[in-house]
Structure formats: C-alpha cells, structure tokens
Amino acid sequence: MRRGFAAMPFLVALLPIIVSSARAENLDAGKSGARLFADSCAACHRSARGLAKGRFRLTLYLFLQQHYTSSADSASALSSYLQSVDTPAAAPARKSSARRSSDRREARPPRPPLPVRGR
Ligand code: HEC
C-alpha cells in the first residue's frame, strides 16, 4: 500500500511526457491519403501514380508501415491512395495469358482469322 503511494509522484511527473508522445503519434491522424502523400512523400516521389505497381493492398500496406509511416492508420490511408491512383497494371497478367494462348497456338494447327461480322 505504502509503496503504491510512493510511486504516485513519479507517475504524475511522467504524465506530460506520456500525453505529449501520444499527441506526437497522432500528428498524421485524420489526414487523407492524398494529403499524407503530399506532406511526407512528394519530396522524393514526384507523383503517387505508378508507385503501387499493381501490388496487393496488403503488400503495399506492410511495405509502407515498415519503411515510412509510423501509424497503421496512415499506412492504410496511403496504401488505399496509392492503389487508387495507380496506373492499371494488368501487364504481368496480360503477358502470362498471351504466353498461354501462344502455347495453345503451337499445339494446334493454324486457324483462319474470325470472319468479320455483319457481312
Ligand atoms: C527521402 C526520400 C523518400 C521519401 C520521403 C519517400 N520515399 Fe518512397 N522511395 C524512395 C526511394 C529512394 C525508393 C527506392 C527507389 C525506387 O524504387 O524508386 C522508394 C521506394 C518506394 C516505393 C516502392 C517503389 C517500387 O518501385 O517498388 C513505394 C511504394 C514508396 N517509395 C512509397 C512512398 C510513400 C507512400 C512515401 C510517403 C510516406 C514515400 N515513399 C516517401 C525515397 C523516398
């Protein structure tokens, strides 16, 4: 009982530090992804476009959280933003399907092109 009371002054002395560090963590709270990007990323990345590179949102989120943003909320907002402005990156998917169709073409004899409709 006595020891608990003895700790009180220390806790009271620590309170401003605890409160101020909590406030520092919340500096970016409530900012939109676009705002976060303009504030903390645009200095090095001129445009947000093309940064996501078709990555999954979770991959992006983990990357951002690990490398850049201190809070999960900012990382989440930023990854959504980067995805929303990303150029449609269907290139890898398109390439693999193209390869598959060319494989099919090799396996079968060549076919004439489709007849033009409406003739
Ligand atoms: C101090 C400069 C700097 C700042 C600030 C910065 N970045 Fe980067 N970023 C880099 C460099 C350098 C690379 C690695 C080179 C590359 O891949 O273009 C990189 C890579 C990335 C990549 C991976 C790109 C890829 O091609 O794989 C993403 C995504 C990214 N940054 C997003 C952000 C976001 C979001 C922010 C803001 C929170 C940010 N960056 C702030 C310098 C910076």
Side-chain angles (χ1 to χ4, degrees):
M1 198 62 184
R2 269 213 149 172
R3 223 183 270 154
F5 277 121
M8 278 301 275
F10 290 109
L11 283 180
V12 171
L14 278 176
L15 209 60
I17 299 168
I18 296 167
V19 169
S20 66
S21 68
R23 222 184 284 143
E25 262 171 41
N26 277 346
L27 266 182
D28 284 341
K31 286 186 186 176
S32 71
R35 185 71 211 283
L36 283 168
F37 190 88
D39 282 357
S40 40
C41 321
C44 296
H45 300 285
R46 233 188 301 153
S47 163
R49 195 151 301 158
L51 272 181
K53 288 187 177 163
R55 270 176 280 226
F56 291 115
R57 191 180 176 283
L58 182 66
T59 320
L60 210 54
Y61 168 79
L62 292 174
F63 175 86
L64 293 178
Q65 207 179 17
Q66 192 175 3
H67 293 268
Y68 295 115
T69 68
S70 49
S71 92
D73 281 349
S74 321
S76 174
L78 264 171
S79 44
S80 298
Y81 173 64
L82 289 191
Q83 268 202 331
S84 74
V85 297
D86 196 27
T87 44
R94 226 182 284 139
K95 215 183 284 166
S96 71
S97 73
R99 205 186 305 128
R100 224 177 293 134
S101 71
S102 69
D103 287 351
R104 225 180 292 140
R105 225 174 281 141
E106 280 166 25
R108 291 181 189 175
R111 288 166 53 191
L114 284 176
V116 179
R117 282 189 188 177
R119 264 194 196 174

